[in-house]
Amino acid sequence: MGDKRSSDAAEVSDDKYSILLPTYNESENLPIIVWLIIKYLTESGYQFEIIIIDDGSPDGTLDVAKQLQKIYGEEKIVLRPRPKKLGLGTAYVHGMKSATGNFIVIMDADLSHHPKFIPQFITKQKEGNYDVVSGTRYIGDGGVYGWDFKRKLVSRGANFLTQLLLRPGASDLTGSFRLYRKHVLEKLVQSCVSKGYVFQMEMIIRARQFGYTIGEVPITFVDRVYGESKLGGSEIFQFVKALLYLFATT
Ligand SMILES: *[C@@H]1O[C@H](CO)[C@@H](O)[C@H](O)[C@H]1NC(C)=O
Protein backbone atom coordinates (compact mmCIF):
# COMPACT_ATOMS: atom_id res chain seq x y z
CA MET A 1 0.00 0.00 0.00
CA GLY A 2 1.05 3.68 0.09
CA ASP A 3 1.79 5.90 -2.83
CA LYS A 4 5.43 5.10 -3.44
CA ARG A 5 6.30 4.32 -7.03
CA SER A 6 7.51 0.78 -7.18
CA SER A 7 8.77 0.34 -10.70
CA ASP A 8 9.45 -3.33 -11.14
CA ALA A 9 10.55 -2.92 -14.74
CA ALA A 10 13.49 -5.27 -14.22
CA GLU A 11 11.21 -8.15 -13.28
CA VAL A 12 8.68 -7.88 -16.08
CA SER A 13 8.30 -11.62 -16.32
CA ASP A 14 6.97 -11.72 -12.75
CA ASP A 15 4.10 -9.40 -13.55
CA LYS A 16 0.68 -10.85 -12.93
CA TYR A 17 -2.68 -9.39 -13.86
CA SER A 18 -5.78 -9.79 -11.72
CA ILE A 19 -8.90 -9.06 -13.73
CA LEU A 20 -11.79 -7.93 -11.55
CA LEU A 21 -15.23 -8.71 -12.93
CA PRO A 22 -18.08 -7.34 -10.80
CA THR A 23 -21.27 -9.07 -12.02
CA TYR A 24 -25.01 -8.73 -11.64
CA ASN A 25 -27.33 -10.77 -13.86
CA GLU A 26 -24.55 -11.69 -16.29
CA SER A 27 -25.19 -15.42 -16.58
CA GLU A 28 -25.44 -15.18 -20.38
CA ASN A 29 -22.40 -12.98 -20.93
CA LEU A 30 -20.06 -14.46 -18.33
CA PRO A 31 -19.00 -17.62 -20.25
CA ILE A 32 -18.18 -15.51 -23.32
CA ILE A 33 -16.24 -12.79 -21.50
CA VAL A 34 -14.26 -15.36 -19.48
CA TRP A 35 -13.47 -17.39 -22.59
CA LEU A 36 -12.28 -14.28 -24.43
CA ILE A 37 -10.11 -13.08 -21.52
CA ILE A 38 -8.48 -16.49 -21.25
CA LYS A 39 -7.96 -16.70 -25.00
CA TYR A 40 -6.30 -13.29 -25.38
CA LEU A 41 -4.16 -13.46 -22.26
CA THR A 42 -3.01 -17.01 -22.85
CA GLU A 43 -2.02 -16.11 -26.41
CA SER A 44 -0.01 -13.17 -25.11
CA GLY A 45 1.71 -15.32 -22.50
CA TYR A 46 0.89 -13.19 -19.45
CA GLN A 47 0.20 -14.55 -15.98
CA PHE A 48 -3.32 -13.73 -14.88
CA GLU A 49 -6.38 -14.62 -12.82
CA ILE A 50 -10.02 -13.62 -13.12
CA ILE A 51 -11.77 -12.58 -9.91
CA ILE A 52 -15.56 -12.70 -10.20
CA ILE A 53 -17.44 -10.61 -7.65
CA ASP A 54 -21.10 -11.51 -8.01
CA ASP A 55 -23.54 -9.42 -5.99
CA GLY A 56 -26.24 -12.02 -5.35
CA SER A 57 -27.58 -12.11 -8.92
CA PRO A 58 -31.01 -13.76 -9.05
CA ASP A 59 -30.35 -15.12 -12.56
CA GLY A 60 -27.82 -17.76 -11.48
CA THR A 61 -24.64 -15.90 -12.45
CA LEU A 62 -22.82 -17.46 -9.51
CA ASP A 63 -23.74 -21.00 -10.62
CA VAL A 64 -22.39 -20.21 -14.07
CA ALA A 65 -19.22 -18.84 -12.46
CA LYS A 66 -18.83 -22.08 -10.47
CA GLN A 67 -19.11 -24.10 -13.69
CA LEU A 68 -16.45 -21.91 -15.29
CA GLN A 69 -14.22 -22.44 -12.27
CA LYS A 70 -14.58 -26.23 -12.74
CA ILE A 71 -13.60 -25.90 -16.40
CA TYR A 72 -10.68 -23.49 -16.09
CA GLY A 73 -9.48 -24.24 -12.55
CA GLU A 74 -9.29 -22.37 -9.25
CA GLU A 75 -5.98 -20.76 -10.19
CA LYS A 76 -7.58 -18.94 -13.11
CA ILE A 77 -11.10 -18.30 -11.79
CA VAL A 78 -11.46 -16.94 -8.27
CA LEU A 79 -14.98 -16.48 -6.85
CA ARG A 80 -15.65 -13.78 -4.30
CA PRO A 81 -19.44 -13.45 -4.17
CA ARG A 82 -21.32 -11.01 -1.96
CA PRO A 83 -24.90 -11.43 -0.73
CA LYS A 84 -26.32 -8.36 -2.47
CA LYS A 85 -25.60 -5.30 -4.57
CA LEU A 86 -23.16 -3.17 -2.60
CA GLY A 87 -21.62 -0.80 -5.12
CA LEU A 88 -18.67 -0.76 -7.45
CA GLY A 89 -16.04 0.80 -5.19
CA THR A 90 -16.56 -1.79 -2.45
CA ALA A 91 -16.60 -4.55 -5.10
CA TYR A 92 -13.10 -3.48 -6.14
CA VAL A 93 -11.90 -3.42 -2.53
CA HIS A 94 -13.46 -6.83 -1.91
CA GLY A 95 -11.94 -8.32 -5.07
CA MET A 96 -8.51 -6.80 -4.48
CA LYS A 97 -8.20 -8.52 -1.09
CA SER A 98 -7.91 -11.80 -2.98
CA ALA A 99 -5.84 -10.48 -5.88
CA THR A 100 -2.40 -12.05 -6.22
CA GLY A 101 -1.40 -9.92 -9.21
CA ASN A 102 0.68 -6.74 -8.96
CA PHE A 103 -1.59 -5.20 -11.60
CA ILE A 104 -5.38 -5.00 -11.61
CA VAL A 105 -7.56 -4.76 -14.70
CA ILE A 106 -11.05 -3.39 -14.28
CA MET A 107 -13.72 -3.98 -16.90
CA ASP A 108 -17.44 -4.55 -17.35
CA ALA A 109 -18.65 -8.13 -17.67
CA ASP A 110 -21.49 -7.28 -20.08
CA LEU A 111 -19.29 -7.40 -23.20
CA SER A 112 -19.20 -3.63 -23.64
CA HIS A 113 -15.43 -3.94 -23.10
CA HIS A 114 -13.62 -6.34 -25.41
CA PRO A 115 -10.86 -8.43 -23.76
CA LYS A 116 -8.71 -8.09 -26.90
CA PHE A 117 -7.66 -4.68 -25.57
CA ILE A 118 -6.11 -6.07 -22.37
CA PRO A 119 -2.80 -7.13 -24.02
CA GLN A 120 -2.66 -3.63 -25.57
CA PHE A 121 -3.09 -2.09 -22.10
CA ILE A 122 -0.23 -4.25 -20.83
CA THR A 123 2.05 -3.29 -23.72
CA LYS A 124 1.26 0.38 -23.14
CA GLN A 125 1.96 0.05 -19.41
CA LYS A 126 5.38 -1.47 -20.11
CA GLU A 127 6.21 1.16 -22.75
CA GLY A 128 5.91 4.07 -20.35
CA ASN A 129 6.08 2.25 -17.00
CA TYR A 130 2.70 3.85 -16.28
CA ASP A 131 0.81 3.63 -12.97
CA VAL A 132 -2.54 3.64 -14.76
CA VAL A 133 -3.53 2.77 -18.32
CA SER A 134 -6.96 4.01 -19.32
CA GLY A 135 -9.04 2.91 -22.30
CA THR A 136 -10.23 5.90 -24.28
CA ARG A 137 -13.13 6.32 -26.68
CA TYR A 138 -11.93 9.75 -27.69
CA ILE A 139 -8.59 9.33 -29.44
CA GLY A 140 -7.29 7.37 -32.41
CA ASP A 141 -9.44 4.41 -33.38
CA GLY A 142 -11.54 4.64 -30.21
CA GLY A 143 -15.30 4.99 -30.41
CA VAL A 144 -18.75 4.14 -29.10
CA TYR A 145 -21.43 1.84 -30.53
CA GLY A 146 -25.05 1.78 -29.42
CA TRP A 147 -25.53 5.43 -28.51
CA ASP A 148 -27.82 7.85 -30.30
CA PHE A 149 -26.75 11.34 -31.31
CA LYS A 150 -28.04 13.00 -28.13
CA ARG A 151 -26.16 10.62 -25.87
CA LYS A 152 -22.95 11.10 -27.85
CA LEU A 153 -23.37 14.86 -27.75
CA VAL A 154 -23.95 14.91 -23.99
CA SER A 155 -21.01 12.59 -23.41
CA ARG A 156 -18.72 14.73 -25.56
CA GLY A 157 -19.97 17.91 -23.91
CA ALA A 158 -19.45 16.50 -20.42
CA ASN A 159 -15.98 15.36 -21.33
CA PHE A 160 -15.11 18.75 -22.85
CA LEU A 161 -16.37 20.63 -19.80
CA THR A 162 -14.42 18.36 -17.49
CA GLN A 163 -11.25 18.74 -19.54
CA LEU A 164 -11.64 22.50 -19.34
CA LEU A 165 -12.25 22.64 -15.58
CA LEU A 166 -10.04 19.88 -14.25
CA ARG A 167 -7.29 19.31 -16.84
CA PRO A 168 -7.11 15.66 -15.87
CA GLY A 169 -4.45 14.59 -18.36
CA ALA A 170 -6.62 11.78 -19.72
CA SER A 171 -9.00 12.00 -22.66
CA ASP A 172 -11.73 9.62 -21.40
CA LEU A 173 -12.83 10.23 -17.83
CA THR A 174 -16.02 8.25 -17.38
CA GLY A 175 -14.88 5.01 -18.99
CA SER A 176 -14.23 2.11 -16.65
CA PHE A 177 -11.92 -0.12 -18.71
CA ARG A 178 -8.52 0.42 -17.09
CA LEU A 179 -5.35 -1.18 -15.78
CA TYR A 180 -3.84 -0.04 -12.46
CA ARG A 181 -0.85 -0.94 -10.37
CA LYS A 182 -2.43 -2.71 -7.44
CA HIS A 183 -1.24 -0.31 -4.73
CA VAL A 184 -2.32 2.63 -6.88
CA LEU A 185 -5.86 1.28 -7.21
CA GLU A 186 -5.97 0.63 -3.46
CA LYS A 187 -5.00 4.21 -2.73
CA LEU A 188 -7.44 5.63 -5.30
CA VAL A 189 -10.42 3.60 -4.11
CA GLN A 190 -9.70 4.73 -0.55
CA SER A 191 -9.77 8.38 -1.54
CA CYS A 192 -12.77 8.39 -3.89
CA VAL A 193 -16.26 9.04 -2.60
CA SER A 194 -18.44 9.32 -5.72
CA LYS A 195 -20.79 6.66 -7.07
CA GLY A 196 -21.45 5.19 -10.51
CA TYR A 197 -19.67 6.56 -13.53
CA VAL A 198 -18.70 9.70 -11.61
CA PHE A 199 -16.62 7.32 -9.48
CA GLN A 200 -14.59 6.42 -12.60
CA MET A 201 -14.07 10.11 -13.29
CA GLU A 202 -12.96 10.81 -9.73
CA MET A 203 -10.51 7.90 -9.88
CA ILE A 204 -8.69 9.31 -12.89
CA ILE A 205 -8.73 12.87 -11.55
CA ARG A 206 -7.34 11.80 -8.17
CA ALA A 207 -4.72 9.72 -10.00
CA ARG A 208 -3.56 12.93 -11.64
CA GLN A 209 -3.72 14.80 -8.33
CA PHE A 210 -1.49 12.21 -6.63
CA GLY A 211 1.02 12.47 -9.47
CA TYR A 212 0.49 9.01 -10.93
CA THR A 213 1.34 8.59 -14.60
CA ILE A 214 -1.45 7.72 -17.02
CA GLY A 215 -1.14 6.00 -20.39
CA GLU A 216 -4.01 5.67 -22.85
CA VAL A 217 -5.16 3.05 -25.34
CA PRO A 218 -7.96 3.71 -27.86
CA ILE A 219 -10.87 1.31 -27.35
CA THR A 220 -14.25 0.71 -28.92
CA PHE A 221 -17.06 0.62 -26.41
CA VAL A 222 -20.32 -1.17 -27.15
CA ASP A 223 -23.08 -0.02 -24.82
CA ARG A 224 -25.21 -3.01 -23.81
CA VAL A 225 -27.50 -1.37 -21.29
CA TYR A 226 -28.28 1.94 -22.94
CA GLY A 227 -31.79 0.79 -23.85
CA GLU A 228 -32.53 0.31 -20.16
CA SER A 229 -30.69 3.35 -18.82
CA LYS A 230 -31.82 6.37 -20.79
CA LEU A 231 -29.99 9.58 -20.12
CA GLY A 232 -32.24 11.86 -18.10
CA GLY A 233 -32.03 15.37 -16.73
CA SER A 234 -31.24 14.08 -13.25
CA GLU A 235 -28.25 12.17 -14.58
CA ILE A 236 -26.91 15.34 -16.18
CA PHE A 237 -27.56 17.26 -12.96
CA GLN A 238 -25.69 14.61 -10.94
CA PHE A 239 -22.80 14.90 -13.33
CA VAL A 240 -22.53 18.69 -13.10
CA LYS A 241 -22.77 18.49 -9.31
CA ALA A 242 -19.98 15.93 -9.20
CA LEU A 243 -17.88 18.01 -11.55
CA LEU A 244 -18.16 21.06 -9.31
CA TYR A 245 -17.35 18.94 -6.27
CA LEU A 246 -14.19 17.65 -7.92
CA PHE A 247 -13.32 21.13 -9.13
CA ALA A 248 -13.57 22.39 -5.56
CA THR A 249 -11.62 19.55 -3.93
CA THR A 250 -8.74 18.84 -6.29
C1 LIG B 1 -32.13 -10.02 -12.72
O1 LIG B 1 -32.62 -11.28 -13.09
C2 LIG B 1 -33.84 -11.66 -12.44
C3 LIG B 1 -34.14 -13.11 -12.77
O2 LIG B 1 -33.81 -13.44 -14.09
C4 LIG B 1 -34.93 -10.69 -12.85
O3 LIG B 1 -36.15 -11.02 -12.22
C5 LIG B 1 -34.50 -9.27 -12.47
O4 LIG B 1 -35.44 -8.32 -12.93
C6 LIG B 1 -33.13 -8.93 -13.05
N1 LIG B 1 -32.69 -7.65 -12.51
C7 LIG B 1 -32.07 -6.72 -13.23
C8 LIG B 1 -31.72 -5.45 -12.54
O5 LIG B 1 -31.79 -6.90 -14.40
Side-chain angles (χ1 to χ4, degrees), residues 20-91:
L20 300 192
L21 281 184
T23 56
Y24 189 77
N25 274 7
E26 298 291 357
S27 61
E28 284 176 20
N29 293 323
L30 195 59
I32 306 168
I33 192 91
V34 164
W35 184 79
L36 286 169
I37 293 171
I38 290 176
K39 172 177 141 71
Y40 282 100
L41 286 176
T42 306
E43 277 173 7
S44 322
Y46 295 116
Q47 291 188 71
F48 69 98
E49 65 189 354
I50 301 170
I51 302 178
I52 300 171
I53 305 125
D54 185 63
D55 277 2
S57 301
D59 77 336
T61 301
L62 184 57
D63 295 328
V64 171
K66 283 177 184 162
Q67 291 299 321
L68 292 167
Q69 192 182 43
K70 277 200 192 117
I71 296 168
Y72 297 111
E74 290 180 14
E75 298 266 286
K76 281 276 174 287
I77 311 281
V78 179
L79 306 183
R80 288 293 172 265
R82 304 190 297 177
K84 60 180 168 89
K85 259 196 150 169
L86 294 165
L88 215 46
T90 59

Side-chain angles (χ1 to χ4, degrees), residues 132 158-159 161-163 165-170 172-174 178 180 188 191-192 194 197-212 214 239 242-250:
V132 180
N159 205 57
L161 197 64
T162 313
Q163 295 291 344
L165 281 177
L166 302 175
R167 311 216 166 270
D172 190 340
L173 307 169
T174 53
R178 293 179 187 150
Y180 297 87
L188 289 175
S191 44
C192 290
S194 311
Y197 64 98
V198 174
F199 173 72
Q200 308 295 354
M201 182 167 91
E202 183 173 9
M203 295 264 277
I204 208 81
I205 286 161
R206 300 265 176 227
R208 193 53 162 198
Q209 184 188 17
F210 293 142
Y212 293 128
I214 302 167
F239 179 83
L243 192 62
L244 293 176
Y245 163 75
L246 290 173
F247 183 61
T249 60
T250 60

Side-chain angles (χ1 to χ4, degrees), residues 37-168:
I37 293 171
I38 290 176
K39 172 177 141 71
Y40 282 100
L41 286 176
T42 306
E43 277 173 7
S44 322
Y46 295 116
Q47 291 188 71
F48 69 98
E49 65 189 354
I50 301 170
I51 302 178
I52 300 171
I53 305 125
D54 185 63
D55 277 2
S57 301
D59 77 336
T61 301
L62 184 57
D63 295 328
V64 171
K66 283 177 184 162
Q67 291 299 321
L68 292 167
Q69 192 182 43
K70 277 200 192 117
I71 296 168
Y72 297 111
E74 290 180 14
E75 298 266 286
K76 281 276 174 287
I77 311 281
V78 179
L79 306 183
R80 288 293 172 265
R82 304 190 297 177
K84 60 180 168 89
K85 259 196 150 169
L86 294 165
L88 215 46
T90 59
Y92 295 154
V93 172
H94 184 73
M96 261 192 294
K97 279 185 201 152
S98 313
T100 59
N102 53 331
F103 287 97
I104 308 278
V105 174
I106 279 176
M107 65 189 298
D108 294 344
D110 65 357
L111 297 174
S112 48
H113 296 142
H114 199 298
K116 71 182 176 189
F117 294 112
I118 300 174
Q120 298 179 26
F121 282 27
I122 295 172
T123 304
K124 173 60 78 175
Q125 191 285 322
K126 291 186 185 302
E127 259 173 41
N129 197 27
Y130 293 110
D131 298 311
V132 180
V133 174
S134 178
T136 175
R137 297 162 287 184
Y138 302 124
I139 57 174
D141 299 329
V144 176
Y145 293 89
W147 282 2
D148 60 15
F149 179 71
K150 182 192 166 205
R151 177 89 201 203
K152 281 184 180 163
L153 193 70
V154 170
S155 173
R156 281 275 179 177
N159 205 57
F160 177 77
L161 197 64
T162 313
Q163 295 291 344
L164 202 69
L165 281 177
L166 302 175
R167 311 216 166 270

Side-chain angles (χ1 to χ4, degrees), residues 8-17 47 100-103 126:
D8 307 323
E11 313 158 44
V12 274
S13 58
D14 288 338
D15 287 337
K16 181 171 176 181
Y17 301 86
Q47 291 188 71
T100 59
N102 53 331
F103 287 97
K126 291 186 185 302

